[in-house]
Amino acid sequence: MPEPRQTGGGPAVLWVRPLTTAAFAPFGSVIEADPAAMRLINGGNTERYHALAEAEATGLEARVVINIFRGSPRAFPYAVTMMERHPFGSQSFSPIDDRPWLVIVADDEGGRPGLPQVFLAGGRQGVNYRRNVWHHPLMTVGATSDFLVVDRSGAGNNLEEFFYDEPFIIEQAELRA
Ligand SMILES: NC(=O)N[C@@H](O)C(=O)O
Ligand code: NI
């Protein structure tokens, strides 16, 4: 994973990498029409891309729910100041409007997120964050966009947030990665 660029005493600038199944594997699954997962159904009329990810919901009164998140576009350069995670369940985001967006995740380092890792997702790429994986809230790019979100509802506090001491910057130029 590439170390951020230091800019003359200013905040670190993060690299942006293309979203791939392999690179994202430590954090969860990429939800896209992967030919390896395809099986024909409905008499050959329909391609089923089977079990691309698994939703997880634990704890009291836990259930899996299906939502739409309508995200407003983020402004760049963007300062990553915090990360969050959901201790009781997974959370998936799949773009509905076929626009690229950003996925930001981090390893867990003793109960706090490490360096943010930024991926540029295509308009037909979704992700499923496994339960308790550090990620940044929805990062919509360019225009207000809808995402189909499958995550956990139930009792208890399913949102843990962490705020970094210093921000990490994402520059617009990186989005043409
Ligand atoms: N809080 C909430 O429902 N949204 C976040 O979890 C997010 O990842 O966008
Ligand atoms: Ni979340």
Side-chain angles (χ1 to χ4, degrees):
M1 191 266 296
E3 286 301 311
R5 302 197 306 273
Q6 296 297 338
T7 52
V13 176
L14 298 170
W15 296 102
V16 177
R17 293 184 282 169
L19 179 67
T20 65
T21 297
F24 193 72
F27 308 104
S29 306
V30 174
I31 300 172
E32 62 183 339
D34 175 2
M38 194 281 279
R39 58 184 66 168
L40 281 177
I41 59 174
N42 300 343
N45 169 269
T46 305
E47 297 176 348
R48 175 186 173 120
Y49 293 86
H50 181 64
L52 298 172
E54 288 194 15
E56 189 181 3
T58 66
L60 193 61
E61 299 166 15
R63 62 197 185 284
V64 174
V65 291
I66 301 174
N67 322 268
I68 285 180
F69 283 24
R70 180 161 291 165
S72 299
R74 301 290 189 173
F76 293 87
Y78 182 81
V80 177
T81 60
M82 61 82 67
M83 298 287 270
E84 63 169 42
R85 62 181 176 179
H86 307 298
F88 293 123
S90 58
Q91 187 174 50
S92 78
F93 290 81
S94 296
I96 294 174
D97 297 315
D98 195 359
R99 263 192 287 275
W101 59 298
L102 287 180
V103 175
I104 309 175
V105 288
D107 292 320
D108 182 58
E109 295 179 356
R112 52 155 291 166
L115 182 71
Q117 300 182 49
V118 188
F119 295 97
L120 180 62
R124 292 178 174 236
Q125 287 187 301
V127 295
N128 184 55
Y129 302 119
R130 269 196 294 275
R131 182 172 66 85
N132 229 24
V133 164
W134 290 110
H135 61 280
H136 189 279
L138 178 58
M139 286 291 294
T140 303
V141 174
T144 297
S145 304
D146 285 0
F147 291 76
L148 190 71
V149 175
V150 179
D151 61 4
R152 180 263 190 196
S153 185
N157 178 16
N158 192 33
L159 175 62
E160 178 183 355
E161 296 178 311
F162 178 89
F163 294 83
Y164 290 110
D165 294 336
E166 297 293 330
F168 298 90
I169 302 300
I170 302 173
E171 290 179 341
Q172 176 90 42
E174 285 294 315
L175 304 195
R176 286 184 282 279

